[in-house]
Amino acid sequence: MIFVDACFNKPTPYTPVWMMRQAGRYLPEYMAVREEAGDFLSLCKDPEKAAEVTLQPIDIIGVDAAILFSDILVIPLEMGMDLKFEKGEGPVFSDPIRTKEDLKRLKPDAHERLTYVYDTIRIIKERLADDKALIGFTGAPWTLITYMIEGRGTKTYNIVKKLIYTEPELVHALLREVTEVVKLYLEKQIEAGVDVVQIFDSWAAALEKPKYFEFSWNYMKEVASYIKKKYPHIPIIMFPKGIGAYLDEIDGDFDVFGVDWGTPMALAKEKLGDRYVLQGNMEPCRLYSKEATKECVESLYETMQNRGHIFNLGHGILPDVPVENAKYFVSLVHEITKEK
Ligand code: CP3
């Protein structure tokens, strides 16, 4: 599988490419299935339909890997929290975790209730071509607990950060609990058939450097080591968004480092390129213009041609990107990296 080979830095006939959030609202075919399902969470819980939207970008866009259609927040949902996706606002939990008492509400066996995810994986693997990889994923414990504590998206992270500086033990207790679920959840995804796993730390940049390593990276590393020991043949991709200034202290037992669009690829290559394959990192808004896309693909190719690389965006694709431009990006990557 070319994608898995690339993750392990083995030679490949061209550089593989996929896009974060590739199964999503920019595709009319996705909107049609979501409409049938009723809403986003119902779609996540319907294995037949979730498998269908997972496979759409393979057929329509031509990417080298499918990413399981689900959401990072199904973990807190199945730990017993009340999750709703509200129009114009995104995810909201009506019952955030803020005290030791609140911790007692959480169920430690969420991975046992995420059966709809494992069913989705089995259906996808039946239908996915043998040369395409399926990526499973989880949120990083830190990103998950910011939602669990804040209850919704936040610009300041003041509620969770107040706890970090005033009640760090409470935050660590929650992180430990979520980390255990995350390990078992990824393990179950692997047993169901995913070929690769990615850990999304979308809110990494909320923390100053020492706190980042203490409250996030160490837990991500713990998850990675656990998976690596049991499943050395499964590549692990770490994607902490926005920590370009912390790269000199990045280490751990994983294979691919996902570079966000705010971190210059040349810098990531200098700091990490001899230890990890790098994934990324076109600024997603370049997809509004074919010229801007071409310029970036060529320059990333120049920078990365003697190093392990997987093409991707530096964060998720946006809902109003023309499908044609997404196709152009993928075919251009294949063309340029094949011919040279
Ligand atoms: O194609 C894929 O990448 C796979 C599916 C996927 C989704 N969410 C589908 C989704 C993945 C990997 C995620 C991860 C996720 N979810 C993250 C980490 C990645 C990142 O983008 O940083 C985060 C922070 C979440 C939480 C979340 N889920 C938010 C903040 C939102 C609302 C955002 C928005 O654009 O409205 C979601 C909803 C969500 N998850 C959608 C999709 C396709 C949009 C739902 C819809 O309206 O159809």
Side-chain angles (χ1 to χ4, degrees):
M1 226 178 258
I2 171 164
F3 186 81
V4 170
D5 286 347
C7 290
F8 287 133
N9 208 5
K10 293 184 188 156
T12 54
Y14 57 87
T15 306
V17 52
W18 67 285
M19 296 181 294
M20 286 186 271
R21 286 282 171 92
Q22 66 190 13
R25 289 170 292 192
Y26 72 106
L27 288 175
E29 293 85 348
Y30 167 82
M31 293 310 287
V33 180
R34 195 183 74 163
E35 192 72 25
E36 276 170 36
D39 58 56
F40 173 67
L41 265 183
S42 309
L43 178 52
C44 292
K45 290 184 180 177
D46 182 330
E48 186 61 41
K49 289 192 171 65
E52 186 180 344
V53 297
T54 299
L55 293 166
Q56 285 173 347
I58 293 275
D59 299 333
I60 302 167
I61 312 291
V63 286
D64 295 287
I67 180 161
L68 166 71
F69 187 83
S70 183
D71 197 82
I72 59 169
L73 298 178
V74 295
I75 290 180
L77 171 70
E78 298 302 345
M79 289 181 88
M81 294 184 72
D82 174 47
L83 171 64
K84 290 201 172 59
F85 281 86
E86 287 177 7
K87 263 216 152 66
E89 163 131 59
V92 177
F93 290 103
S94 65
D95 51 357
I97 305 293
R98 294 181 183 167
T99 63
K100 255 200 193 112
E101 263 322 287
D102 291 337
L103 270 180
K104 294 184 190 147
R105 295 203 310 259
L106 294 174
K107 299 177 190 146
D109 60 347
H111 57 285
E112 303 286 359
R113 271 188 300 282
L114 285 156
T115 48
Y116 47 89
V117 173
Y118 317 132
D119 290 341
T120 303
I121 292 169
R122 282 186 281 266
I123 298 174
I124 297 165
K125 284 298 283 182
E126 271 169 31
R127 300 187 189 156
L128 186 64
D130 290 341
D131 60 340
K132 305 276 184 178
L134 175 60
I135 304 168
F137 70 89
T138 177
W142 160 250
T143 287
L144 293 174
I145 73 147
T146 60
Y147 280 107
M148 295 167 79
I149 291 174
E150 297 276 347
R152 58 184 67 219
T154 164
K155 286 203 170 81
T156 54
Y157 305 88
N158 55 306
I159 305 171
V160 61
K161 285 164 76 169
K162 181 176 179 184
L163 290 177
I164 278 190
Y165 295 109
T166 59
E167 291 184 70
E169 269 319 308
L170 172 65
V171 182
H172 280 302
L174 178 57
L175 281 165
R176 278 194 295 272
E177 201 156 320
V178 171
T179 299
E180 285 314 304
V181 173
V182 162
K183 287 179 189 167
L184 300 170
Y185 179 47
L186 282 184
E187 186 167 2
K188 289 214 163 225
Q189 289 186 36
I190 293 168
E191 295 291 341
V194 301
D195 304 295
V196 178
V197 293
Q198 173 157 323
I199 306 179
F200 286 91
D201 198 7
S202 306
W203 307 147
L207 293 172
E208 58 168 321
K209 191 173 181 184
K211 297 300 174 194
Y212 180 68
F213 285 90
E214 178 184 348
F215 288 90
S216 186
W217 188 253
N218 285 345
Y219 289 96
M220 285 173 78
K221 274 203 323 196
E222 184 184 327
V223 172
S225 303
Y226 176 84
I227 296 296
K228 208 45 163 173
K229 266 199 201 89
K230 284 195 140 171
Y231 306 96
H233 63 291
I234 300 288
I236 301 172
I237 307 172
M238 302 286 238
F239 180 61
K241 184 172 181 294
I243 56 146
Y246 308 167
L247 297 184
D248 51 340
E249 280 179 40
I250 290 295
D251 69 341
D253 210 359
F254 62 95
D255 306 284
V256 181
F257 186 86
V259 182
D260 68 89
W261 61 264
T263 303
M265 202 50 136
L267 177 70
K269 179 185 164 190
E270 178 197 320
K271 304 280 183 193
L272 303 172
D274 50 1
R275 287 183 286 146
Y276 302 108
V277 169
L278 300 180
Q279 174 175 279
N281 74 340
M282 188 168 88
E283 153 48 293
C285 292
R286 280 191 181 259
L287 282 179
Y288 292 122
S289 151
K290 286 188 180 169
E291 292 70 36
T293 296
K294 184 159 191 272
E295 180 188 60
C296 182
V297 169
E298 285 172 349
S299 120
L300 280 174
Y301 177 73
E302 280 294 302
T303 306
M304 294 305 297
Q305 60 177 322
N306 52 356
R307 279 288 163 37
H309 185 210
I310 292 163
F311 265 93
N312 202 318
L313 307 177
H315 202 193
I317 186 170
L318 293 165
D320 59 344
V321 161
V323 176
E324 189 199 327
N325 292 13
K327 284 187 199 169
Y328 174 76
F329 168 59
V330 168
S331 59
L332 189 68
V333 167
H334 288 158
E335 190 183 299
I336 288 183
T337 62
K338 210 180 287 183
E339 90 189 6
K340 293 184 186 165

